[in-house]
Amino acid sequence: MNGINTDIKPNWCPGCGNLGLWAAFKMAAEKEGWDNSNSVLVAGIGCHGHLLNFTPITSFEGLHGRALPVAEGIKFANHGLNVFIFTGDGDCLGEGGNHLIHACRRNHNLTVILHDNGLYALTTGQTSPATPAGAVTKSTPQGNPDLPFLPVNLAIASGATFVARAYAGEIDKVSDLMIQANQHQGMSVLDILQPCATFNKAFTHQFYQENTYWLGDDYNCHDKGWALAKSAEFGKKQIALGVIYEEDRATAESHFSQLNKGPLIQQASKPRDLSSLISRYC
Ligand code: SF4
């Protein structure tokens, strides 16, 4: 192990936006001291999930779309932990869409980092719930007939209390937002625009560099009406980055008096030998 790196090298494609996002998380982890003693990472299924293999913090890779309920359980068991959920747009908005909206509604004190590449990349480029209408993909050769979800808009409308968007190529800014999201008490959703260099030829690094802008000081992220209007914009020269919505509201965990005395479960994270378990399935 070398700092926050492991000996395992990333297997993402050259130019993949996941590389920038991973670098941003490592930078934030080093700055904030996130490690095995205080943090847990959870992922779903997709290219994003590989991040767990390259990051030496205790982690759990859930079933497709099921990262959030696992993370909610971890947080209830030990609410002293920083719990980060890495998920893709297919994983989070498709298979896991129900979990996302209800986690936002209940305001769990969690940080969702959405690797938004606009399609299913691990399965080689099918339409996801974030694929624009009309887009030609492997699964929609005549063009996508459906309207997409805009994750920021969906998260705000569902009740998330810290919602932001950034582009994976701006590593410092993504890293800062990860820290802010974790410091926020409540459900944080970061929509990270993450180019898939192999399968998405529309949402490229160049596209995001040309069509995103950072919200200025005149923007009020506490105005929900403004935030909903701003988050509904997504197109050429129209993609706002930064904290789009923030509010203070009681978290899901705060409603349980059993948690007032401290975490229900506190145990040191230690390596386990799973070879005998694994051998039963080989
Ligand atoms: Fe990244 Fe796309 Fe390659 Fe997956 S397929 S590793 S998202 S570039």
Side-chain angles (χ1 to χ4, degrees):
M1 194 183 291
N2 165 25
I4 194 77
N5 292 308
T6 64
D7 297 332
I8 303 171
K9 300 288 177 230
N11 59 351
W12 291 310
C13 309
C16 176
N18 281 319
L19 290 156
L21 197 155
W22 178 53
F25 182 76
K26 289 194 296 179
M27 193 184 288
E30 292 216 288
K31 206 181 278 182
E32 294 294 289
W34 299 334
D35 60 25
N36 271 334
S37 69
N38 56 31
S39 303
V40 174
L41 317 182
V42 185
I45 301 297
C47 291
H48 70 272
H50 302 327
L51 183 143
L52 303 191
N53 300 329
F54 324 135
T55 312
I57 296 178
T58 302
S59 60
F60 186 99
E61 194 160 2
L63 298 175
H64 210 177
R66 312 303 170 208
L68 263 166
V70 171
E72 290 166 20
I74 292 169
K75 193 73 180 183
F76 272 125
N78 184 349
H79 62 285
L81 291 170
N82 306 304
V83 183
F84 299 93
I85 298 98
F86 296 90
T87 177
D89 47 289
D91 187 67
C92 186
L93 306 175
E95 287 81 358
N98 56 338
H99 297 302
L100 176 71
I101 59 174
H102 293 292
C104 291
R105 179 173 68 84
R106 293 190 297 254
N107 199 29
H108 286 281
N109 191 11
L110 298 169
T111 298
V112 172
I113 298 170
L114 206 169
H115 301 224
D116 184 358
N117 58 25
L119 41 65
Y120 284 94
L122 188 67
T123 48
T124 72
Q126 294 81 9
T127 291
S128 85
T131 306
V136 173
T137 73
K138 277 192 181 162
S139 58
T140 53
Q142 308 295 324
N144 178 19
D146 301 323
L147 285 176
F149 278 137
L150 293 170
V152 171
N153 193 255
L154 179 68
I156 297 169
S158 301
T161 51
F162 183 95
V163 186
R165 187 196 281 135
Y167 152 58
E170 294 185 283
I171 295 170
D172 288 0
K173 289 177 173 168
V174 173
S175 190
D176 285 347
L177 284 176
M178 288 172 171
I179 293 171
Q180 284 184 60
N182 183 58
Q183 287 170 349
H184 173 77
Q185 295 298 302
M187 182 75 177
S188 299
V189 179
L190 299 185
D191 180 28
I192 308 297
L193 304 170
Q194 177 252 301
C196 170
T198 301
F199 296 111
N200 196 331
K201 302 302 181 191
F203 291 159
T204 61
H205 286 281
Q206 186 178 352
F207 175 84
Y208 287 130
Q209 285 159 14
E210 291 175 353
N211 293 297
T212 55
Y213 69 95
W214 283 83
L215 292 164
D217 292 340
D218 59 337
Y219 177 74
N220 179 5
C221 67
H222 302 291
D223 182 328
K224 196 163 196 172
W226 199 353
L228 283 167
K230 187 57 67 183
S231 61
E233 297 172 358
F234 195 94
K236 288 202 167 165
K237 309 283 181 201
Q238 248 195 333
I239 306 172
L241 305 180
V243 179
I244 296 176
Y245 185 61
E246 183 170 13
E247 74 167 276
D248 287 331
R249 199 173 86 232
T251 65
E253 293 76 17
S254 71
H255 299 303
F256 293 86
S257 57
Q258 299 91 324
L259 304 184
N260 290 345
K261 290 187 203 142
L264 299 178
I265 298 171
Q266 261 182 316
Q267 60 188 35
S269 173
K270 55 186 180 207
R272 305 269 168 94
D273 182 2
L274 300 180
S275 51
S276 64
L277 175 68
I278 292 168
S279 67
R280 287 166 52 191
Y281 299 96
C282 295

